[in-house]
Amino acid sequence: MTDRFAGKTVLVTGAAAGLGRAYALKFGAQGAHLILADINADGMVETAAMVEAVGGTAEHHLCDMSDEAQIQALGQAVLAAHDRLDVLINNAGMHMGEIARGFFGLGQAKWQHFFAVNTIGPLLLAEALRPALARAKGLIINKSSMASYQPQTAYGITKAALNVFTHAMASQFAADEIRCVGIAPGLMETPAAKDGVEDANWERLRSMQAVKRQGTADDIANLGIFLASDEGSFINNQVLLCDGGHQLRGFRI
Ligand SMILES: NC(=O)c1ccc[n+]([C@@H]2O[C@H](COP(=O)([O-])OP(=O)(O)OC[C@H]3O[C@@H](n4cnc5c(N)ncnc54)[C@H](O)[C@@H]3O)[C@@H](O)[C@H]2O)c1
C-alpha cells in the first residue's frame, strides 16, 4: 500500500468484474476513493469489499451505460457528493457473444444498443461529470481494444468509433485541462474473455504475440495507474495498445 492516490477520486464503470475490478484494486491500494458503477450489483459489492481490504474506500452505483437517464443520474449523484473527480475510467463494455461474431444481420436495434454501451455512453458520462473533472484537471480513460484496428466485427467497429471519440474528447475537454486517452488491450485473461474464447484459441492467440505470455488484468490496470500519475501527465489524445506486440504478426483476432 502506498498513498500515491490519497485524496484522489476515481470512477470506474464496469467495475463489478475483470479489468474494471483490477483498476479499482490498483487505485484503491494506493489510497484512492473509488466510485464503482455497473449493472451488476453483487459484483460491485464484492469489488468494494476488495478495495477496502487493500486500503482504499469505495461506493457503488447501479448504472446501465445504454440508458441516458441512468447516466445523468449517476453524474448528478457524483457531482452532489464530490467536488472533484481525478480519473474517469470508461471501462464498461459489451465484448462477447453476438457483438464479436461479425456485423451482418444484426438490425438497427442491436447496432444502437452496442454503440450506446461501447461508444456513446462514455461521452455522455464524461459530459455529465465535466465540472468535477475540470476542478481536478482530471483524466478520462476510454477503454478501446486491439479489435478497433481491424474492425471485422460490430465490437471492433464500436471500439474504432470510440477511438475517434477519444480524439474528439481530448480536443473538446482541453479547454478545462482535462486529458483524454484510450487504452486498447490485447486479449487479456479476464473471466469474461476466458469464457468467451474457445480453449483452442488461447494458445493460437498467444503465439501471435511477441511477448510470450498471456496478458493480465494487472497489465492494463498498471497502464491506467501510469497515465493517472504525475509521470504520465504529459500523455494526451492517444490510444495506447497494450497487447504484447500482437500486431507484429499481422493483425488477426
Ligand atoms: N478482456 C479482454 O481481453 C479485453 C480486451 C480488449 C478490450 N476489453 C474491454 O475491456 C472492458 C472490460 O472487459 P472485461 O474483460 O473486464 O469484461 P467483463 O465482461 O468481465 O466486465 C465488463 C463489466 O462491464 C459491465 N457492463 C456490461 N454492460 C454494461 C452496461 N450496459 N452498463 C454498465 N456496465 C456494464 C459488466 O457487468 C461487467 O462487470 C470492456 O470494455 C472490453 O471491451 C477487454
Side-chain angles (χ1 to χ4, degrees):
M1 159 94 188
T2 72
D3 60 358
R4 192 154 59 138
F5 289 96
K8 307 266 188 192
T9 302
V10 179
L11 192 157
V12 184
T13 67
L19 302 181
R21 175 173 285 173
Y23 289 115
L25 293 179
K26 284 277 171 196
F27 279 100
Q30 301 192 39
H33 175 72
L34 270 301
I35 304 169
L36 312 175
D38 207 296
I39 47 175
N40 173 353
D42 292 345
M44 280 195 292
V45 168
E46 260 180 44
T47 302
M50 292 166 81
V51 167
E52 281 160 19
V54 295
T57 55
E59 62 188 75
H60 51 88
H61 301 257
L62 275 173
C63 180
D64 183 338
M65 292 299 291
S66 71
D67 183 328
E68 185 170 8
Q70 292 188 36
I71 293 172
Q72 296 305 335
L74 173 62
Q76 282 165 18
V78 171
L79 292 181
H82 300 279
D83 185 49
R84 53 184 278 156
L85 180 65
D86 295 278
V87 187
L88 164 62
I89 306 182
N90 277 317
N91 166 77
M94 301 177 67
H95 60 126
M96 292 295 163
E98 201 169 20
I99 192 172
R101 285 193 201 114
F103 54 81
F104 290 118
L106 287 170
Q108 192 174 42
K110 281 181 186 159
W111 274 110
Q112 284 177 341
H113 185 62
F114 296 156
F115 270 105
V117 176
N118 281 7
T119 314
I120 299 166
L123 171 67
L124 296 179
L125 184 58
E127 267 186 277
L129 294 169
R130 185 168 186 152
L133 284 163
R135 282 191 283 273
K137 297 190 193 328
L139 167 68
I140 301 163
I141 296 176
N142 287 337
K143 178 57 67 62
S144 182
S145 168
M146 69 174 177
S148 68
Y149 294 100
Q150 198 179 36
Q152 298 167 327
T153 60
Y155 174 63
I157 293 167
T158 62
K159 295 290 188 177
L162 182 62
N163 293 353
V164 177
F165 272 43
T166 297
H167 298 305
M169 288 164 70
S171 155
Q172 296 304 311
F173 283 77
D176 289 328
E177 295 184 58
I178 299 165
R179 293 181 292 135
C180 185
V181 177
I183 293 180
L187 186 68
M188 314 311 280
E189 194 156 18
T190 63
K194 281 297 266 183
D195 284 351
V197 177
E198 287 170 18
D199 285 349
N201 270 338
W202 278 94
E203 195 48 47
R204 182 182 69 81
L205 288 161
R206 186 165 32 231
S207 73
M208 292 166 69
Q209 297 166 185
V211 178
K212 296 292 178 211
R213 68 170 174 81
Q214 196 58 53
T216 67
D218 277 355
D219 289 319
I220 300 303
N222 285 333
L223 181 52
I225 288 278
F226 174 70
L227 291 169
S229 70
D230 290 345
E231 291 83 352
S233 60
F234 203 54
I235 299 172
N236 191 13
N237 188 36
Q238 297 298 311
V239 179
L240 302 172
L241 269 166
C242 183
D243 69 348
H246 195 281
Q247 288 191 325
L248 290 170
R249 294 293 178 92
F251 191 97
R252 280 175 302 143
I253 292 183

